[in-house]
Amino acid sequence: MRRTAIISEHALFRQGVGELLRRAGLPPVEAPTYAQLRSAPETIVLDLDHATDDAQELLVDIGARFPATLVVVVGTTLRLAASSNGVAHVELEVPLR
């Protein structure tokens, strides 16, 4: 079974995304911070808009702690661009217009 973690300081975000994942057959682990994860998930859904930590530092820390984990970052375009700038293992994908 694929292990997916949802990281957000807002319970409503975790519950909503968690419900979508459960419906898809992927029961998630929900946590307010990545530090609360006990083992490496295959995927992390990270809510940057509700993070009080520095987003860039957060991505670097997650990459160091869980190097094989795919991180799906959710946030505004501005927040995503600012957090990924200068982080070697982060690729920003935006929709084409």
Side-chain angles (χ1 to χ4, degrees):
M1 168 98 25
R2 176 165 227 133
R3 191 166 126 78
T4 302
I6 304 168
I7 308 298
S8 176
E9 293 176 1
H10 286 260
L12 186 59
F13 179 88
R14 291 192 311 269
Q15 292 166 359
V17 173
E19 181 59 27
L20 292 172
L21 290 172
R22 277 187 284 284
R23 288 180 186 179
L26 300 168
V29 173
E30 299 176 21
T33 67
Y34 86 95
Q36 294 175 329
L37 297 177
R38 299 185 193 281
S39 61
E42 291 180 61
T43 307
I44 292 176
V45 177
L46 177 64
D47 177 17
L48 281 187
D49 283 343
H50 297 128
T52 55
D53 295 332
D54 177 78
Q56 194 172 43
E57 187 176 311
L58 186 61
L59 288 171
V60 169
D61 290 349
I62 290 173
R65 184 171 173 202
F66 305 121
T69 298
L70 171 67
V71 180
V72 177
V73 183
V74 178
T76 63
T77 305
L78 184 59
R79 184 82 188 247
L80 293 172
S83 64
S84 65
N85 187 26
V87 180
H89 65 278
V90 172
E91 295 179 25
L92 186 59
E93 195 172 304
V94 294
L96 298 174
R97 292 187 183 233

Short mmCIF file of all heavy atoms in Angstrom, two decimals, residues 54-90:
data_model
loop_
_atom_site.label_atom_id
_atom_site.label_comp_id
_atom_site.label_asym_id
_atom_site.label_seq_id
_atom_site.Cartn_x
_atom_site.Cartn_y
_atom_site.Cartn_z
N ASP A 54 9.57 28.84 7.55
CA ASP A 54 10.10 29.32 6.28
C ASP A 54 9.94 28.20 5.25
O ASP A 54 10.45 27.09 5.43
CB ASP A 54 11.57 29.70 6.45
CG ASP A 54 12.18 30.13 5.14
OD1 ASP A 54 11.94 31.27 4.71
OD2 ASP A 54 12.90 29.30 4.53
N ALA A 55 9.23 28.46 4.17
CA ALA A 55 8.89 27.42 3.20
C ALA A 55 10.12 26.85 2.52
O ALA A 55 10.22 25.64 2.31
CB ALA A 55 7.93 28.00 2.16
N GLN A 56 11.08 27.69 2.18
CA GLN A 56 12.29 27.21 1.52
C GLN A 56 13.08 26.28 2.44
O GLN A 56 13.52 25.21 2.05
CB GLN A 56 13.14 28.39 1.09
CG GLN A 56 14.22 28.03 0.10
CD GLN A 56 14.91 29.26 -0.44
OE1 GLN A 56 15.20 30.17 0.32
NE2 GLN A 56 15.15 29.28 -1.73
N GLU A 57 13.22 26.68 3.68
CA GLU A 57 13.92 25.85 4.66
C GLU A 57 13.17 24.53 4.89
O GLU A 57 13.78 23.48 5.04
CB GLU A 57 14.06 26.62 5.98
CG GLU A 57 14.91 25.93 7.01
CD GLU A 57 15.08 26.78 8.25
OE1 GLU A 57 15.41 27.98 8.11
OE2 GLU A 57 14.87 26.25 9.35
N LEU A 58 11.87 24.61 4.90
CA LEU A 58 11.04 23.43 5.09
C LEU A 58 11.27 22.41 3.97
O LEU A 58 11.45 21.22 4.22
CB LEU A 58 9.57 23.85 5.12
CG LEU A 58 8.53 22.81 5.43
CD1 LEU A 58 8.76 22.20 6.82
CD2 LEU A 58 7.14 23.42 5.35
N LEU A 59 11.32 22.87 2.73
CA LEU A 59 11.56 21.97 1.59
C LEU A 59 12.96 21.35 1.65
O LEU A 59 13.14 20.16 1.36
CB LEU A 59 11.36 22.70 0.27
CG LEU A 59 9.92 23.03 -0.07
CD1 LEU A 59 9.86 23.94 -1.28
CD2 LEU A 59 9.13 21.76 -0.32
N VAL A 60 13.95 22.13 2.05
CA VAL A 60 15.31 21.61 2.19
C VAL A 60 15.35 20.54 3.28
O VAL A 60 15.93 19.46 3.10
CB VAL A 60 16.31 22.75 2.49
CG1 VAL A 60 17.66 22.20 2.89
CG2 VAL A 60 16.43 23.67 1.28
N ASP A 61 14.71 20.81 4.41
CA ASP A 61 14.69 19.86 5.53
C ASP A 61 13.99 18.56 5.15
O ASP A 61 14.47 17.47 5.46
CB ASP A 61 14.01 20.46 6.75
CG ASP A 61 14.83 21.56 7.41
OD1 ASP A 61 16.02 21.72 7.06
OD2 ASP A 61 14.26 22.26 8.27
N ILE A 62 12.85 18.66 4.48
CA ILE A 62 12.12 17.46 4.06
C ILE A 62 12.96 16.66 3.08
O ILE A 62 13.05 15.43 3.17
CB ILE A 62 10.75 17.83 3.46
CG1 ILE A 62 9.82 18.33 4.56
CG2 ILE A 62 10.13 16.63 2.75
CD1 ILE A 62 8.50 18.88 4.05
N GLY A 63 13.61 17.34 2.13
CA GLY A 63 14.47 16.66 1.16
C GLY A 63 15.63 15.94 1.82
O GLY A 63 16.03 14.85 1.40
N ALA A 64 16.18 16.53 2.86
CA ALA A 64 17.30 15.91 3.58
C ALA A 64 16.83 14.71 4.40
O ALA A 64 17.51 13.69 4.46
CB ALA A 64 17.98 16.94 4.48
N ARG A 65 15.68 14.84 5.03
CA ARG A 65 15.18 13.76 5.90
C ARG A 65 14.56 12.61 5.10
O ARG A 65 14.70 11.45 5.48
CB ARG A 65 14.14 14.33 6.87
CG ARG A 65 13.64 13.30 7.86
CD ARG A 65 12.79 13.90 8.93
NE ARG A 65 12.21 12.84 9.76
CZ ARG A 65 11.14 12.99 10.50
NH1 ARG A 65 10.53 14.15 10.56
NH2 ARG A 65 10.67 11.98 11.20
N PHE A 66 13.89 12.94 4.01
CA PHE A 66 13.21 11.93 3.20
C PHE A 66 13.61 12.09 1.73
O PHE A 66 12.80 12.50 0.90
CB PHE A 66 11.69 12.06 3.32
CG PHE A 66 11.15 12.03 4.72
CD1 PHE A 66 10.42 13.09 5.22
CD2 PHE A 66 11.35 10.93 5.55
CE1 PHE A 66 9.90 13.07 6.50
CE2 PHE A 66 10.85 10.90 6.84
CZ PHE A 66 10.12 11.97 7.32
N PRO A 67 14.84 11.75 1.36
CA PRO A 67 15.32 12.03 0.00
C PRO A 67 14.57 11.28 -1.10
O PRO A 67 14.52 11.75 -2.24
CB PRO A 67 16.79 11.62 0.05
CG PRO A 67 16.93 10.73 1.23
CD PRO A 67 15.86 11.14 2.20
N ALA A 68 13.98 10.14 -0.82
CA ALA A 68 13.29 9.37 -1.86
C ALA A 68 11.80 9.69 -1.94
O ALA A 68 11.08 9.12 -2.75
CB ALA A 68 13.47 7.88 -1.60
N THR A 69 11.32 10.61 -1.11
CA THR A 69 9.90 10.94 -1.04
C THR A 69 9.54 12.01 -2.07
O THR A 69 10.23 13.02 -2.20
CB THR A 69 9.53 11.44 0.37
OG1 THR A 69 9.78 10.39 1.29
CG2 THR A 69 8.09 11.86 0.46
N LEU A 70 8.44 11.78 -2.79
CA LEU A 70 7.90 12.77 -3.71
C LEU A 70 7.09 13.76 -2.89
O LEU A 70 6.23 13.37 -2.11
CB LEU A 70 6.99 12.08 -4.74
CG LEU A 70 6.17 13.01 -5.64
CD1 LEU A 70 7.09 13.79 -6.57
CD2 LEU A 70 5.17 12.20 -6.44
N VAL A 71 7.37 15.05 -3.07
CA VAL A 71 6.65 16.09 -2.33
C VAL A 71 5.78 16.87 -3.30
O VAL A 71 6.28 17.45 -4.26
CB VAL A 71 7.62 17.05 -1.59
CG1 VAL A 71 6.84 18.12 -0.83
CG2 VAL A 71 8.53 16.27 -0.66
N VAL A 72 4.47 16.86 -3.06
CA VAL A 72 3.52 17.64 -3.85
C VAL A 72 3.19 18.86 -3.01
O VAL A 72 2.62 18.75 -1.93
CB VAL A 72 2.24 16.83 -4.15
CG1 VAL A 72 1.24 17.67 -4.91
CG2 VAL A 72 2.59 15.55 -4.90
N VAL A 73 3.57 20.03 -3.52
CA VAL A 73 3.41 21.27 -2.77
C VAL A 73 2.17 22.00 -3.24
O VAL A 73 1.97 22.19 -4.44
CB VAL A 73 4.66 22.16 -2.93
CG1 VAL A 73 4.54 23.41 -2.10
CG2 VAL A 73 5.91 21.39 -2.54
N VAL A 74 1.34 22.41 -2.29
CA VAL A 74 0.10 23.13 -2.59
C VAL A 74 0.25 24.53 -2.02
O VAL A 74 0.63 24.71 -0.85
CB VAL A 74 -1.12 22.42 -1.96
CG1 VAL A 74 -2.39 23.21 -2.22
CG2 VAL A 74 -1.23 21.00 -2.46
N GLY A 75 -0.04 25.53 -2.84
CA GLY A 75 0.04 26.91 -2.36
C GLY A 75 -0.20 27.87 -3.51
O GLY A 75 -0.38 27.46 -4.66
N THR A 76 -0.16 29.15 -3.20
CA THR A 76 -0.31 30.16 -4.24
C THR A 76 0.92 30.15 -5.14
O THR A 76 2.00 29.72 -4.73
CB THR A 76 -0.48 31.56 -3.64
OG1 THR A 76 0.71 31.89 -2.93
CG2 THR A 76 -1.69 31.65 -2.73
N THR A 77 0.78 30.64 -6.36
CA THR A 77 1.89 30.67 -7.30
C THR A 77 3.07 31.44 -6.73
O THR A 77 4.22 31.00 -6.84
CB THR A 77 1.43 31.30 -8.63
OG1 THR A 77 0.30 30.58 -9.12
CG2 THR A 77 2.54 31.25 -9.66
N LEU A 78 2.80 32.56 -6.10
CA LEU A 78 3.88 33.37 -5.53
C LEU A 78 4.60 32.62 -4.41
O LEU A 78 5.84 32.60 -4.36
CB LEU A 78 3.30 34.69 -4.99
CG LEU A 78 4.31 35.69 -4.43
CD1 LEU A 78 5.32 36.07 -5.49
CD2 LEU A 78 3.58 36.92 -3.92
N ARG A 79 3.87 31.98 -3.55
CA ARG A 79 4.48 31.23 -2.45
C ARG A 79 5.29 30.05 -2.98
O ARG A 79 6.37 29.75 -2.48
CB ARG A 79 3.39 30.74 -1.49
CG ARG A 79 3.87 30.04 -0.26
CD ARG A 79 4.29 31.04 0.81
NE ARG A 79 4.94 30.39 1.92
CZ ARG A 79 4.43 30.31 3.14
NH1 ARG A 79 3.27 30.87 3.40
NH2 ARG A 79 5.09 29.72 4.09
N LEU A 80 4.77 29.37 -3.99
CA LEU A 80 5.49 28.23 -4.59
C LEU A 80 6.80 28.69 -5.22
O LEU A 80 7.85 28.07 -5.03
CB LEU A 80 4.62 27.54 -5.63
CG LEU A 80 3.39 26.81 -5.12
CD1 LEU A 80 2.53 26.35 -6.29
CD2 LEU A 80 3.77 25.65 -4.24
N ALA A 81 6.74 29.78 -5.97
CA ALA A 81 7.95 30.28 -6.63
C ALA A 81 8.99 30.73 -5.62
O ALA A 81 10.18 30.43 -5.75
CB ALA A 81 7.59 31.43 -7.57
N ALA A 82 8.56 31.43 -4.59
CA ALA A 82 9.49 31.92 -3.57
C ALA A 82 10.13 30.77 -2.80
O ALA A 82 11.31 30.81 -2.47
CB ALA A 82 8.76 32.85 -2.61
N SER A 83 9.38 29.73 -2.53
CA SER A 83 9.90 28.62 -1.73
C SER A 83 10.82 27.72 -2.53
O SER A 83 11.68 27.06 -1.97
CB SER A 83 8.76 27.81 -1.13
OG SER A 83 8.01 27.21 -2.15
N SER A 84 10.64 27.66 -3.84
CA SER A 84 11.46 26.74 -4.64
C SER A 84 12.73 27.40 -5.16
O SER A 84 13.63 26.71 -5.62
CB SER A 84 10.64 26.20 -5.81
OG SER A 84 10.29 27.25 -6.68
N ASN A 85 12.84 28.69 -5.09
CA ASN A 85 13.99 29.42 -5.61
C ASN A 85 15.27 29.01 -4.86
O ASN A 85 15.37 29.19 -3.66
CB ASN A 85 13.77 30.92 -5.49
CG ASN A 85 14.87 31.71 -6.17
OD1 ASN A 85 15.50 31.21 -7.09
ND2 ASN A 85 15.09 32.93 -5.71
N GLY A 86 16.21 28.43 -5.59
CA GLY A 86 17.48 28.07 -4.99
C GLY A 86 17.53 26.71 -4.31
O GLY A 86 18.55 26.32 -3.78
N VAL A 87 16.44 25.97 -4.32
CA VAL A 87 16.43 24.65 -3.72
C VAL A 87 16.71 23.65 -4.84
O VAL A 87 15.93 23.50 -5.77
CB VAL A 87 15.07 24.33 -3.04
CG1 VAL A 87 15.11 22.93 -2.41
CG2 VAL A 87 14.76 25.37 -1.98
N ALA A 88 17.85 22.97 -4.75
CA ALA A 88 18.36 22.14 -5.85
C ALA A 88 17.41 21.03 -6.28
O ALA A 88 17.27 20.77 -7.47
CB ALA A 88 19.71 21.55 -5.46
N HIS A 89 16.74 20.37 -5.36
CA HIS A 89 15.92 19.21 -5.71
C HIS A 89 14.46 19.55 -5.99
O HIS A 89 13.64 18.66 -6.13
CB HIS A 89 15.99 18.14 -4.61
CG HIS A 89 15.41 18.58 -3.31
ND1 HIS A 89 16.12 19.36 -2.42
CD2 HIS A 89 14.20 18.39 -2.75
CE1 HIS A 89 15.35 19.61 -1.37
NE2 HIS A 89 14.19 19.04 -1.55
N VAL A 90 14.13 20.84 -6.10
CA VAL A 90 12.74 21.25 -6.32
C VAL A 90 12.55 21.71 -7.76
O VAL A 90 13.31 22.51 -8.28
CB VAL A 90 12.35 22.39 -5.35
CG1 VAL A 90 10.99 22.96 -5.70
CG2 VAL A 90 12.37 21.91 -3.93
#
